[in-house]
């Protein structure tokens, strides 16, 4: 569904992505694993058309979005939900309002339909009883659920996660990973998540691409990661480092 083809990206004269190709398929869970600062969030921004590469192309459903105008990107972005690392919730709005705001701003739906969808999403995300609370009164895991529920409100086919378990305790992390995995079964949803936590990859990803020093050094089924003879991958697996 999403493809980066031979993408090179520089910030100033600093080369971040060096001829990177990645594909994300419908109804699959793909992880992009790499150390901090390697360019993982940058990849998500490229997939959403928020930034442009220096060279190479980005396709969504075989449509080249690389040089697309902002207004043409809106319907493309609606195919994808995004859950930001810090959740990007509105602190001054209740949980319900965090959901309904986006619907009201982006779709011309009747008020009853907005309410129906908000109720559906609240239920799905396991947030019943928290509708009128502010995000700050919730735990990190619950806030993440709000961000996931909100990302689903436009009924995307794919959901993009930036470090979904960053800052969460192990129990909350596990719950969020289970929720991501369950989305595929319940909603036929694919996911791509970027992370520096190897356990997250083994927990739920069908496939993983490893990004290291600007290049993809592995891209394949998660269970084949141990077959790689790349020194970086061998070292993270043999040292049992949980976070790289
Ligand atoms: N807008 C920007 N301008 C300049 N440098 C940036 C910008 N955004 C990110 N960077 C740099 O690019 C590198 C990759 O960033 P990022 O994609 O956020 O990495 P990751 O998500 O893997 O930690 C980092 O060194 C970061 O400091
Ligand atoms: Mg990042």
């Amino acid at each position: 569904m999403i493809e980066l083809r031979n993408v090179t990206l520089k910030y100033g004269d600093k080369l971040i992505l060096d001829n990177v190709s990645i594909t994300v398929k419908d109804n699959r869970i793909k992880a992009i694993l790499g150390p901090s600062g390697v360019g993982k969030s940058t990849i998500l921004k490229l997939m959403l058309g928020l930034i442009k590469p220096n060279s190479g192309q980005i396709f969504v459903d075989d449509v080249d979005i690389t040089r697309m105008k902002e207004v043409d990107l809106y319907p493309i972005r609606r195919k994808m939900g995004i859950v930001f690392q810090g959740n990007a919730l509105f602190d001054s709005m209740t949980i319900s309002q965090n959901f309904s705001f986006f619907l009201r701003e982006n779709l011309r739906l009747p008020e009853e339909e907005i309410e129906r969808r908000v109720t559906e999403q609240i239920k799905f995300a396991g947030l019943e009883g928290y509708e009128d609370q502010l995000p700050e009164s919730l735990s990190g895991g619950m806030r993440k659920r709000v961000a996931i529920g909100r990302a689903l409100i436009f009924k995307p086919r794919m959901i993009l996660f930036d470090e979904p378990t960053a800052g969460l305790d192990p129990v909350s992390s596990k719950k969020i990973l289970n929720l991501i995995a369950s989305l595929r079964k319940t909603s036929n949803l694919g996911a791509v998540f970027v992370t520096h936590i190897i356990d997250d990859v083994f927990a739920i990803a069908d496939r993983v691409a490893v990004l290291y020093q600007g290049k993809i050094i592995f891209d394949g089924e998660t269970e084949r990661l141990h077959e790689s003879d790349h020194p970086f991958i061998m070292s993270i697996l043999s040292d049992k480092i949980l976070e790289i």
Side-chain angles (χ1 to χ4, degrees), residues 199-217:
D199 266 10
D200 291 1
V201 176
F202 285 116
I204 59 166
D206 304 305
R207 295 180 74 90
V208 55
V210 183
L211 184 64
Y212 180 66
Q213 294 181 344
K215 292 187 186 293
I216 298 292
I217 57 170

Side-chain angles (χ1 to χ4, degrees), residues 35-42 44-45 85 162-163 194 196:
S36 173
V38 76
K40 301 182 298 297
S41 298
T42 298
L44 295 183
K45 286 178 195 155
Q85 185 168 355
D162 196 347
E163 311 260 5
V194 306
H196 66 284

Side-chain angles (χ1 to χ4, degrees), residues 21-34:
S21 296
I22 294 181
T23 56
V24 180
K25 291 195 177 139
D26 270 313
N27 201 21
R28 293 274 189 284
I29 300 180
K30 173 106 177 196
I32 299 171
L33 175 70

Side-chain angles (χ1 to χ4, degrees), residues 146-161:
V146 177
I148 294 173
R150 196 180 63 181
L152 295 176
I153 211 144
F154 294 125
K155 304 192 180 303
R157 272 176 33 233
M158 179 71 66
I159 185 159
L160 280 49
F161 292 91

Side-chain angles (χ1 to χ4, degrees), residues 115-125 152 155:
E115 262 180 43
R116 198 192 63 73
R117 283 214 203 178
V118 170
T119 307
E120 182 184 83
Q121 247 16 79
I122 294 265
K123 194 169 166 200
F124 175 84
L152 295 176
K155 304 192 180 303

Side-chain angles (χ1 to χ4, degrees), residues 2 11-12 15 21 28 61-62 66 92 95 101 114 119 122 130 141 144 163 170 172 185 190 197 215-216 230 244:
I2 311 174
Y11 287 125
L15 181 62
S21 296
R28 293 274 189 284
D61 287 331
D62 298 319
T66 319
S92 61
I95 303 311
F101 178 80
I114 291 178
T119 307
I122 294 265
Y130 295 91
K144 188 61 75 182
E163 311 260 5
S172 301
K185 294 190 193 94
I197 301 169
K215 292 187 186 293
I216 298 292
H230 191 286
I244 57 177

Side-chain angles (χ1 to χ4, degrees), residues 9-194:
L9 181 116
K10 294 177 188 169
Y11 287 125
D13 52 13
K14 194 171 158 204
L15 181 62
I16 306 293
L17 303 176
D18 183 5
N19 202 27
V20 162
S21 296
I22 294 181
T23 56
V24 180
K25 291 195 177 139
D26 270 313
N27 201 21
R28 293 274 189 284
I29 300 180
K30 173 106 177 196
I32 299 171
L33 175 70
S36 173
V38 76
K40 301 182 298 297
S41 298
T42 298
I43 288 180
L44 295 183
K45 286 178 195 155
L46 286 163
M47 288 178 170
L48 290 162
L50 294 170
I51 55 173
K52 309 282 180 206
N54 294 78
S55 64
Q57 290 162 291
I58 296 127
F59 297 87
V60 175
D61 287 331
D62 298 319
V63 174
D64 187 347
I65 69 155
T66 319
R67 308 280 155 209
M68 222 177 228
K69 282 186 295 195
E70 191 63 18
V71 59
D72 297 325
L73 282 167
Y74 294 154
I76 304 281
R77 286 189 192 134
R78 220 164 267 164
K79 299 175 182 210
M80 301 175 251
I82 171 88
V83 178
F84 294 100
Q85 185 168 355
N87 300 320
L89 301 177
F90 295 110
D91 294 335
S92 61
M93 293 186 191
T94 66
I95 303 311
S96 279
Q97 288 165 344
N98 263 281
F99 284 88
S100 59
F101 178 80
F102 272 81
L103 284 173
R104 233 173 251 126
E105 290 294 301
N106 291 284
L107 300 181
R108 292 214 182 94
L109 292 175
E111 220 29 51
E112 308 84 77
E113 175 62 12
I114 291 178
E115 262 180 43
R116 198 192 63 73
R117 283 214 203 178
V118 170
T119 307
E120 182 184 83
Q121 247 16 79
I122 294 265
K123 194 169 166 200
F124 175 84
L127 293 163
E128 286 157 308
Y130 295 91
E131 293 89 335
D132 299 326
Q133 302 222 18
L134 293 175
E136 63 180 9
S137 66
L138 303 186
S139 68
M142 295 293 259
R143 281 202 295 272
K144 188 61 75 182
R145 280 173 184 277
V146 177
I148 294 173
R150 196 180 63 181
L152 295 176
I153 211 144
F154 294 125
K155 304 192 180 303
R157 272 176 33 233
M158 179 71 66
I159 185 159
L160 280 49
F161 292 91
D162 196 347
E163 311 260 5
T165 64
L168 298 182
D169 62 79
V171 175
S172 301
S173 291
K174 200 159 188 293
K175 284 187 186 163
I176 291 300
L177 292 170
N178 287 342
L179 177 62
I180 297 172
S182 74
L183 291 175
R184 172 166 39 176
K185 294 190 193 94
T186 56
S187 316
N188 229 13
L189 209 75
V192 49
F193 70 99
V194 306

